[in-house]
Amino acid sequence: MGEEGMVSDVKNTANEKKNRKLTLLPLIALIFYEVSGGPFGIEDSVKTGGGPLLSLLGFLIFPLFWSIPEALVTAELSTSFPENGGYVIWISSAFGPFWGFQEGLWKWFSGVMDNALYPVLFLDYLKHSMPIFNHLIARIPALLGIIVSLTYLNYRGLHIIGFSTILLASFSLFPFLVMGILSIPRIRPRQWFVVDFKKVEWRGYFNTMFWNLNYWDKASTLAGEVEDPSRTFPKALLGAVVLVALSYIIPLLAGTGALNSNSSEWSNGYFAEAGMLIGGLWLKWWIQAAAAMSNMGLFEAEMSSDAFQLLGMSEMGMLPSIFASRSKYGTPTINILCSAAGVIFISWMSFQEIVEFLNFLYSVGTLLEFAAFIKLRIKKPFLHRPYKVPLQTFGAIMLCLPPALLLLFVMYLASLKTYIVSGSIIILGLFLYPAIVHAKEKKWCHFSTREPLGLSNDLEDPLAAFELDQVVADDASLSLLGHSKKVQDSKTLSQEISTVD
C-alpha cells in the first residue's frame, strides 16, 4: 500500500471515530429520555386524578391511542427520510418548505422550553437533602453550572451521550424495581381503585399525562446519526414504548398499592417519600439521586435533538450554513449554544407555565405531522418506505384520529397566557420565513443548496418504485405491528420485473 493510501486510511478511520453512529441500545436510551426518563413527575397524576385509579388507567390507556400511533408514524417517516431534520423534512415534502420551516420553529421552541424544566427539577430533588438550594444565592450559580456542564457533554458527541444515557437509565430505574419488590408483601389491590371525582382536576391531569407521554417524534431529528435507520428506528421505538410504560406503571402500582396515603400528598418528589416508607431512608436517598441523574439524561437527549434539528434545517437551506457546521466531535456547536441560551432565558418561568407553553406548541406541530403522514400516503404512494405501517389510507386516517383529538383537547385546556405566548411564536414564524428567503436571495448569508435525500426520495415511475420497495424489504418492518411481505418473495418478484425489462 502506498503512502497516499495509508494517509487516506488514517483519515477515514479518524472520520469514523469522529462521526460514530448511534446503535440500537443508545437510541432506545435516547428515545426513553426524550419521552420519559423514569416516573419522576408523574406523581401529580395521582393528585389531579383524585386518587390512583385514573392515574393507573391513564398510563395503561394513553399509550394505546397516543404513544403507539405516534411511534408508528415516526417509524415510517423516519425510515423514509433518514436525515437530520426529522419532521421538518416530512412536512416540507408534504406541504412545502414554508410549512416545514414553521414546524421546525414550533418544535424547536417547544423543545427548548421542555429542556428548561430539567435543571430546575434537578435542583428541586437535591434540595430535599441539601436545603441550601432553596436560596437564590446558591440556586442561580448551581443552575448555570448545571447548564454549562451538560452543554459541554452534548458538545463532546452523541456517542458519549448515547452510552451515558444507557447507564443513566439503568441507575434511574433500578431503585423503583427494588421498591416494587419490597412493596409486594404490603400491597392491598383495593387501594388501586380509589378515586374521588370531586378532587379531579382535569386540566392538570391531562397536561401531566400528555407531558409524560409526548416527544416520540423527537429522535427523528437525529435520523442521520443512526446506524442503519431502517432497521434500528422501528426496533428502538418499540423497545422505548415498552420501557416507558413499565417505568410508569410499576412504581405507581407499588407506591399506591402499598401505602394508604391521601391523594393530596402525591406531588413532585413524593416517590422519594414513598421509597422511605417502603424501604427506608437509604431507598429515599437512592431515588433522589436517581431523579437528579434522570433529569441530566432528559436534558442531554432533548438538547441533542434540538441541535440536530437546526442542523437538518440548515442542510435543507432553511437556515444559514453556519448552523450546519460541526465541531471536531461531529456535533453542531452553534446550535448547541443556541439551545443553551434559550434554556437559560426560559428558566425564570414557573414549572406549570413552561409545561403549558411547550404542550401547546408541541400539539400544533404534531397535528401537522399527522396531516403530513396522511398526505404523503395519498400524494406519494411510491415513496420508498423501508418500514411501512401495514394500513391503507383509511386505516392510516383512523390511526391518527384518536391522538389528533387528544391534541386538540390539550390545546383547548390551555390558559389565555399560553394562547398569547404560543400565538406570538406562531406569528414570528410567519414573518421570519420570508425574511430568511429575502436574505438568501440577496446573498447576505451563505445557504446550502444541497437537496436533502428525503425530498427526492419519491419515485415517479411506479414500476421502478415498486421494484425498489420490494428489494429493500427487511425484518425491520416486523418490529412494529409486523409486515406481511417476505423478503425472498420480494427478491424473486424484483428479478421477474428485471427480466421483463
Side-chain angles (χ1 to χ4, degrees):
M1 182 182 293
E3 185 176 338
E4 291 183 1
M6 293 177 64
V7 172
S8 177
D9 286 345
V10 170
K11 288 182 178 179
N12 289 337
T13 302
N15 288 334
E16 288 176 4
K17 289 182 178 180
K18 181 175 70 174
N19 296 315
R20 285 175 288 188
K21 297 289 187 177
L22 285 168
T23 52
L24 180 61
L25 287 180
L27 184 58
I28 289 176
L30 277 172
I31 295 173
F32 172 72
Y33 272 108
E34 296 284 9
V35 177
S36 169
F40 313 104
I42 69 171
E43 297 99 328
D44 272 347
S45 66
V46 178
K47 180 179 180 179
T48 57
L53 181 61
L54 290 183
S55 178
L56 289 167
L57 287 177
F59 287 114
L60 284 170
I61 296 173
F62 271 61
L64 297 178
F65 68 87
W66 167 248
S67 300
I68 291 178
E70 190 183 14
L72 288 168
V73 170
T74 299
E76 177 171 319
L77 294 178
S78 294
T79 55
S80 300
F81 304 99
E83 290 202 50
N84 297 324
Y87 34 72
V88 177
I89 300 178
W90 312 345
I91 304 303
S92 297
S93 181
F95 301 112
F98 175 83
W99 288 109
F101 179 86
Q102 305 307 317
E103 171 79 3
L105 186 72
W106 303 337
K107 285 301 185 82
W108 186 80
F109 268 105
S110 175
V112 171
M113 288 177 178
D114 184 59
N115 222 15
L117 295 172
Y118 304 125
V120 175
L121 287 175
F122 185 97
L123 292 181
D124 284 345
Y125 276 96
L126 284 183
K127 73 182 181 183
H128 289 285
S129 300
M130 303 177 186
I132 190 173
F133 290 118
N134 280 315
H135 305 289
L136 291 179
I137 193 171
R139 191 176 181 86
I140 292 177
L143 189 65
L144 292 174
I146 291 168
I147 294 173
V148 170
S149 300
L150 297 182
T151 299
Y152 176 73
L153 183 58
N154 237 279
Y155 162 75
R156 285 300 304 269
L158 279 176
H159 184 72
I160 293 176
I161 295 167
F163 280 100
S164 66
T165 50
I166 293 176
L167 297 176
L168 285 173
S170 301
F171 182 78
S172 300
L173 295 179
F174 196 65
F176 292 100
L177 179 61
V178 173
M179 187 176 79
I181 294 172
L182 294 177
S183 70
I184 292 175
R186 304 176 56 174
I187 285 180
R188 301 294 179 267
R190 65 177 181 275
Q191 294 177 180
W192 294 333
F193 301 95
V194 174
V195 59
D196 185 351
F197 285 101
K198 295 180 180 178
K199 295 182 178 180
V200 176
E201 303 169 25
W202 293 111
R203 180 177 171 183
Y205 172 76
F206 277 102
N207 266 297
T208 300
M209 282 289 167
F210 184 70
W211 179 61
N212 281 287
L213 289 168
N214 62 12
Y215 285 103
W216 291 99
D217 58 343
K218 202 67 177 174
S220 68
T221 61
L222 302 169
E225 310 303 308
V226 175
E227 182 178 295
D228 193 5
S230 65
R231 293 175 181 269
T232 306
F233 246 105
K235 294 176 181 178
L237 284 163
L238 176 62
V241 167
V242 174
L243 186 60
V244 168
L246 292 178
S247 72
Y248 289 160
I249 294 170
I250 290 176
L252 280 174
L253 288 173
T256 59
L259 302 176
N260 190 22
S261 52
N262 194 292
S263 63
S264 61
E265 297 179 42
W266 283 81
S267 58
N268 286 339
Y270 187 73
F271 270 128
E273 299 301 318
M276 183 180 67
L277 295 173
I278 292 172
L281 192 60
W282 62 272
L283 187 55
K284 174 183 178 179
W285 288 344
W286 190 3
I287 290 175
Q288 285 180 341
M293 298 299 288
S294 174
N295 283 301
M296 287 177 59
L298 287 161
F299 185 97
E300 295 294 352
E302 181 66 57
M303 178 169 280
S304 295
S305 293
D306 293 339
F308 275 94
Q309 177 193 317
L310 295 183
L311 182 145
M313 293 176 71
S314 179
E315 291 178 339
M316 295 173 65
M318 290 184 175
L319 293 173
S321 297
I322 190 173
F323 289 97
S325 61
R326 294 181 185 240
S327 69
K328 63 182 180 180
Y329 302 107
T331 50
T333 308
I334 299 297
N335 307 348
I336 290 174
L337 292 175
C338 287
S339 295
V343 168
I344 293 172
F345 178 76
I346 295 170
S347 295
W348 62 270
M349 298 181 183
S350 72
F351 183 87
Q352 289 300 326
E353 283 179 331
I354 297 173
V355 169
E356 270 203 32
F357 295 160
L358 72 89
N359 277 352
F360 191 95
L361 287 172
Y362 181 84
S363 297
V364 175
T366 307
L367 284 172
L368 196 57
E369 289 175 21
F370 288 142
F373 172 67
I374 295 170
K375 177 72 175 293
L376 288 171
R377 281 294 191 93
I378 298 171
K379 177 185 174 184
K380 301 184 179 181
F382 302 110
L383 177 71
H384 172 45
R385 295 174 171 90
Y387 170 80
K388 183 177 181 180
V389 179
L391 297 171
Q392 299 302 317
T393 303
F394 179 77
I397 294 173
M398 290 298 100
L399 176 72
C400 296
L401 184 59
L405 292 175
L406 174 63
L407 292 170
L408 291 172
F409 186 66
V410 169
M411 293 169 65
Y412 167 76
L413 292 174
S415 65
L416 177 61
K417 187 174 183 179
T418 299
Y419 279 112
I420 294 173
V421 172
S422 301
S424 299
I425 293 173
I426 291 172
I427 293 172
L428 172 65
L430 299 178
F431 287 97
L432 191 58
Y433 180 80
I436 290 177
V437 171
H438 184 71
K440 190 174 185 179
E441 291 174 348
K442 296 294 184 180
K443 297 182 179 180
W444 292 342
C445 302
H446 182 266
F447 287 82
S448 172
T449 57
R450 180 182 70 84
E451 182 182 27
L453 173 65
L455 295 184
S456 58
N457 198 20
D458 53 310
L459 299 175
E460 297 301 326
D461 180 2
L463 184 62
F466 180 72
E467 179 183 6
L468 179 59
D469 182 64
Q470 298 302 308
V471 171
V472 299
D474 55 56
D475 62 347
S477 57
L478 298 175
S479 299
L480 291 172
L481 289 190
H483 198 293
S484 61
K485 298 176 182 177
K486 295 182 179 179
V487 176
Q488 187 61 44
D489 292 342
S490 299
K491 291 180 179 178
T492 302
L493 185 55
S494 65
Q495 290 171 358
E496 291 176 357
I497 293 173
S498 298
T499 302
V500 171
D501 291 342

